[in-house]
Amino acid sequence: MGYGYGDKKATFEEFLKLQQESEERYEYIDGEIYLLASPRTAHQIAVTELFGIFYNFFQGKEWRPMVAPYDIELRRSEENINVVQPDLMIICDLKENLNEDDYYKGVPSLVVEVLSNSTKRKDMIKKLDLYLSCGVKEYWIVNPDNKEVTVYLFEDHNISKHATYKADEAAQSFIYEGLSAEIKRIFRF
């Protein structure tokens, strides 16, 4: 659950101060700070399996799969800065968007979030809207509870396509031809 300071939202500067002073991991979305809890086993297995699939698929290509914890700064506007840590992401422009402190300042082309009870609402509503409005092209929502993966294609700040995969199916990327992940492999635990 998100929180600010008292009944007001936190500023970006307050978020940065909290982040610097704490060993905990946080996300900052539309003025609310979210503590990131330690993930469960099914969550980590899904992330690991997907990372393996993505890593093998993108081997030798210019795109790079990355895993959390890795801060991604997304701006709805100059003033509305958000910081998230997607479970998994594909970055196409890493070299062009590294700042002098070695932090990535671009927008991933594909983002994956694995749901948990504590993040479900944030991942399915707040982050979907954030990713859609900030230039992410494809968003995978992985649900270990019902063993489904929903893939969204974003174009012109709208959902242009989406598909849900389960059981004996394989989730398919809209933007990377040939990138697929067998549902049984993702949820092998």
Side-chain angles (χ1 to χ4, degrees):
M1 182 152 195
Y3 63 91
Y5 289 91
D7 59 354
K8 70 179 180 74
K9 293 189 175 195
T11 66
F12 185 64
E13 290 72 25
E14 289 169 328
F15 164 74
L16 291 177
K17 186 172 189 265
L18 175 67
Q19 194 179 40
Q20 290 168 355
E21 294 174 352
S22 174
E23 294 297 317
E24 301 288 345
R25 293 175 41 227
Y26 296 97
E27 291 183 313
Y28 180 73
I29 303 172
D30 296 329
E32 292 188 65
I33 298 172
Y34 296 87
L35 174 65
L36 297 175
S38 179
R40 295 183 178 202
T41 302
H43 177 283
Q44 290 303 90
I45 289 173
V47 169
T48 302
E49 290 295 329
L50 280 167
F51 179 76
I53 292 165
F54 287 11
Y55 180 83
N56 289 332
F57 181 82
F58 290 105
Q59 193 70 16
K61 297 181 173 91
E62 60 191 74
W63 305 288
R64 181 155 317 270
M66 304 286 276
V67 294
Y70 193 66
D71 284 345
I72 298 295
E73 188 178 290
L74 298 173
R75 294 173 180 258
R76 290 185 192 271
S77 67
E78 196 60 38
E79 304 81 38
N80 188 339
I81 304 168
N82 300 271
V83 177
V84 291
Q85 291 190 4
D87 290 312
L88 182 60
M89 66 220 85
I90 304 300
I91 296 175
C92 300
D93 55 356
L94 188 62
K95 288 180 186 174
E96 300 86 356
N97 284 295
L98 284 180
N99 70 10
E100 62 278 352
D101 295 324
D102 195 38
Y103 288 104
Y104 176 70
K105 295 300 180 184
V107 177
S109 58
L110 186 154
V111 171
V112 177
E113 295 287 1
V114 179
L115 301 181
S116 64
N117 289 337
S118 64
T119 66
K120 194 175 289 187
R121 178 178 171 81
K122 177 180 58 157
D123 291 342
M124 294 180 75
I125 298 169
K126 288 185 176 283
K127 282 190 170 180
L128 184 143
D129 180 63
L130 179 67
Y131 295 149
L132 178 143
S133 67
C134 291
V136 171
K137 293 182 177 122
E138 188 168 293
Y139 182 34
W140 292 32
I141 296 178
V142 178
N143 189 337
D145 290 339
N146 63 11
K147 295 181 172 37
E148 291 181 352
V149 176
T150 301
V151 179
Y152 293 93
L153 175 65
F154 301 145
E155 293 177 320
D156 300 320
H157 303 287
N158 283 303
I159 298 170
S160 68
K161 293 181 188 175
H162 67 90
T164 299
Y165 303 93
K166 51 190 164 194
D168 293 326
E169 299 174 323
Q172 306 286 325
S173 172
F174 290 113
I175 63 172
Y176 296 112
E177 187 176 338
L179 176 60
S180 67
E182 292 178 27
I183 299 304
K184 284 184 176 178
R185 180 172 172 188
I186 297 169
F187 303 114
R188 63 169 56 184
F189 182 69

